[in-house]
Amino acid sequence: MAPSSRLRSLLPDLAPWRSSADFRRLWVAGLITNFGSFLTFVALPVQMKDLTGSAVAVGALGAVELVPLVVFGLYGGALADALDKRKLILRTEAGLGLLCVALLVNASLPHPAVWPLYAVAALSSALVAVQRPALDSLLPRIVAHEHLPAAAALNSLRWTVGGVAGPALAGVVVAYAGLGWAYAVDLATFAVSVTLAVGLAASPASHEAARPSLRSVAEGARYAWSRKELLGTYALDLAAMFLAMPLALLPFLADELDAEWSLGLMYAAVPAGSLLVSLTSGWTSHIHRHGRMVALAAACWGLAMAAAGVVHNVWLVLLFLTLGGCCDMVSGIFRAAIWNQTIPDELRGRLAGIELLSYSAGPQLGQVRAGGMAAWAGVRTSIWAGGLLCVGAVVMLAAFLPKLMTYDVRTNEHAVRMRTVRGAEAGASL
C-alpha cells in the first residue's frame, strides 16, 4: 500500500458527512454549542467560588446535577421514542438557551444570587438528559447503517475538539472578559444551534413506539437485560470509569510530583488522547468484532491509569494519561457502533437513556471512589490500584459475557436484522 493510501485509511471516514445533510447540521451545531457549553462549565464553578468562597458549595453543583441526570435520562429515552425527535431536540436546545439568559441576568446584577446557579445546574442537567437520547436515537435514522461506526467516530471528534480547546478558551474568556461575557457567548452558540436544528427533517415516532410511561421505561430495561452484549458494553464502561477514573486526584498528583505547573496538561491529556484517535479513526470502519475491541480498550485504559499512578516522572504520567484517553475513545466508538447498529428504532430512545446513565454516572461515582481510596491509602495507590482493579473487572466480565466477546457485526442476529430493515427502508424511498 502506498504511503498516501495508508494515510487516507487512517483519516476519519467522511461518508456520513457527505451523504447526510442532517448529520452535517447536527455535527456543526454540536461543535458550536460544545465550545459555548465549556464556557459555562468553567464559569459556573468560578462564580460559585467567588460568591461563597466554599469548596463544598462548588462541589454541591455536581451533586444537584446527578439526580436530574438519572431521572430524566430514563424518562427522556421514553420521550425520544414517543415524540418527534426533531421537536424534542429543538425545544430542549431552546430551553438550554433560556437558562443561559438566566445566568447572564444574574451575573449582571450588582449582587448576584447563589441559588440561581444551583437551579440552572439542575435544570440544565435535566434538559441535557432529555435531549441526549433524542440526539443519539436520531443518528441511525439519518446515517446509513454501514456508516454508523464512522458517524460515531466523527461525533467523538467533535466532542474531543471541544474537550481540548473548550476549557482553554473558557479560561481566557472568564479571566479577561468576565463571567457575563462567558454566559453571553454561550447564549449566542445556542442561537446558532437552534437555527441549524430548524432545518432538520421531521423525525416522528415509530408506529411501534410505546407512549412515555414507567411501563415503557421498564420495557426498555427488560430489552437491555435480554441483550447480554449490550449489558456488557454498559458494565465494562461503568467498571472502567468507576474503578480507574483519576481526574479528582490530578491536583494532588501534581503536588506529589512537585509539578504544579503540569495540572492543566494533566486535565488536557485524556481528551488529547481521545482527539488523537478521532483524527485517525478511519481504521475503525474495517473492524467487525466490536465487543472484543470494547473489552480490550477498557483493559488498556486500566493499565494506562495504573502506569500513571506508578511512574514518578511527570512527562511519563502525561504520556500514560494520553494513552488512556486513546483507549477510552476506542471503547466509545465501538460501544456506539454496537448500540446504533443493533437496537430497533422503536426502542432506540429508551436504550439511549440507559446508555446516558452508563457513561455519565460512572465518572461521577469514580471521583468518589478515587477520593475515598486516596484518603485511606494515598493518592498514588488510589490511582494505580484502581487501574489494576479495572483490568481485573474487565477480565471477569469478559469471562461471564461470552456474547459480547463473540459479537461480530457481520453475523450478529440483531445487526443482520437492522441491516435488512434499513436496506428495505432505503429501497422503498427510491
Side-chain angles (χ1 to χ4, degrees):
M1 184 183 294
S4 60
S5 298
R6 287 196 294 268
L7 178 60
R8 283 195 297 271
S9 69
L10 288 175
L11 293 176
D13 184 353
L14 299 180
W17 177 276
R18 290 192 294 264
S19 61
S20 173
D22 280 348
F23 179 79
R24 291 194 296 273
R25 289 189 185 94
L26 284 179
W27 197 93
V28 173
L31 179 66
I32 293 170
T33 54
N34 200 21
F35 275 94
S37 296
F38 270 109
L39 287 168
T40 297
F41 177 78
V42 172
L44 200 60
V46 168
Q47 187 176 19
M48 182 65 76
K49 177 182 71 68
D50 292 344
L51 292 176
T52 67
S54 168
V56 174
V58 175
L61 285 169
V64 302
E65 292 172 343
L66 184 58
V67 173
L69 182 70
V70 173
V71 174
F72 287 93
L74 292 173
Y75 190 65
L79 288 174
D81 283 334
L83 303 178
D84 187 304
K85 294 174 177 55
R86 172 184 174 275
K87 292 180 180 178
L88 195 56
I89 292 167
L90 272 171
R91 290 168 182 171
T92 51
E93 195 76 353
L96 289 165
L98 290 175
L99 292 177
C100 274
V101 173
L103 289 173
L104 180 57
V105 170
N106 185 58
S108 302
L109 296 175
H111 302 287
V114 170
W115 70 263
L117 306 187
Y118 288 119
V120 168
L123 291 171
S124 295
S125 181
L127 285 173
V128 169
V130 170
Q131 185 187 74
R132 282 301 298 273
L135 284 169
D136 291 346
S137 59
L138 179 62
L139 188 65
R141 288 190 173 188
I142 63 175
V143 174
H145 187 270
E146 64 273 16
H147 295 158
L148 286 170
L154 289 173
N155 280 339
S156 298
L157 174 61
R158 181 191 73 201
W159 284 106
T160 52
V161 166
V164 173
L169 175 64
V172 173
V173 172
V174 170
Y176 293 100
L179 295 165
W181 276 103
Y183 297 140
V185 174
D186 193 11
L187 176 60
T189 65
F190 279 116
V192 174
S193 65
V194 168
T195 302
L196 288 169
V198 166
L200 294 171
S203 185
S206 169
H207 294 301
E208 296 82 12
R211 294 175 62 85
S213 64
L214 291 177
R215 170 181 271 184
S216 68
V217 171
E219 181 186 0
R222 284 195 298 271
Y223 177 82
W225 181 259
S226 71
R227 292 277 311 279
K228 302 310 180 189
E229 66 272 40
L230 289 182
L231 282 181
T233 65
Y234 306 148
L236 284 171
D237 189 47
L238 279 170
M241 295 297 101
F242 175 68
L243 295 171
M245 173 57 79
L247 294 186
L249 302 180
L250 294 184
F252 305 97
L253 181 60
D255 287 345
E256 287 200 8
L257 294 172
D258 196 25
E260 292 83 357
W261 56 267
S262 69
L263 180 59
L265 294 176
M266 288 184 183
Y267 278 120
V270 172
S274 298
L275 178 60
L276 180 63
V277 169
S278 298
L279 289 172
T280 58
S281 59
W283 61 274
T284 61
S285 297
H286 307 292
I287 301 296
H288 306 291
R289 296 185 179 275
H290 299 162
R292 292 184 182 181
M293 290 302 298
V294 171
L296 178 62
C300 290
W301 157 267
L303 288 173
M305 295 304 105
V310 169
V311 298
H312 294 273
N313 182 285
V314 66
W315 294 107
L316 287 177
V317 170
L318 292 171
L319 172 63
F320 287 120
L321 289 174
T322 303
L323 290 175
C326 292
C327 299
D328 185 44
M329 180 52 60
V330 171
S331 172
I333 289 173
F334 288 110
R335 280 185 284 118
I338 293 175
W339 299 338
N340 290 331
Q341 289 186 310
T342 66
I343 298 172
D345 183 72
E346 66 272 13
L347 287 164
R348 188 67 192 90
R350 280 164 284 176
L351 272 293
I354 295 173
E355 292 149 19
L356 174 67
L357 297 184
S358 78
Y359 61 70
S360 297
Q364 291 179 305
L365 295 174
Q367 304 314 306
V368 177
R369 192 281 317 164
M373 185 176 284
W376 170 60
V379 170
R380 298 174 69 82
T381 299
S382 177
I383 296 173
W384 67 254
L388 293 182
L389 286 171
C390 171
V391 175
V394 170
V395 172
M396 182 184 69
L397 287 169
F400 283 96
L401 293 166
K403 285 194 174 181
L404 177 68
M405 302 308 293
T406 58
Y407 175 90
D408 188 321
V409 69
R410 296 168 297 185
T411 57
N412 178 268
E413 60 176 312
H414 303 283
V416 171
R417 183 182 302 116
M418 287 304 301
R419 190 159 53 243
T420 302
V421 169
R422 293 295 303 277
E425 291 173 348
S429 64
L430 295 177

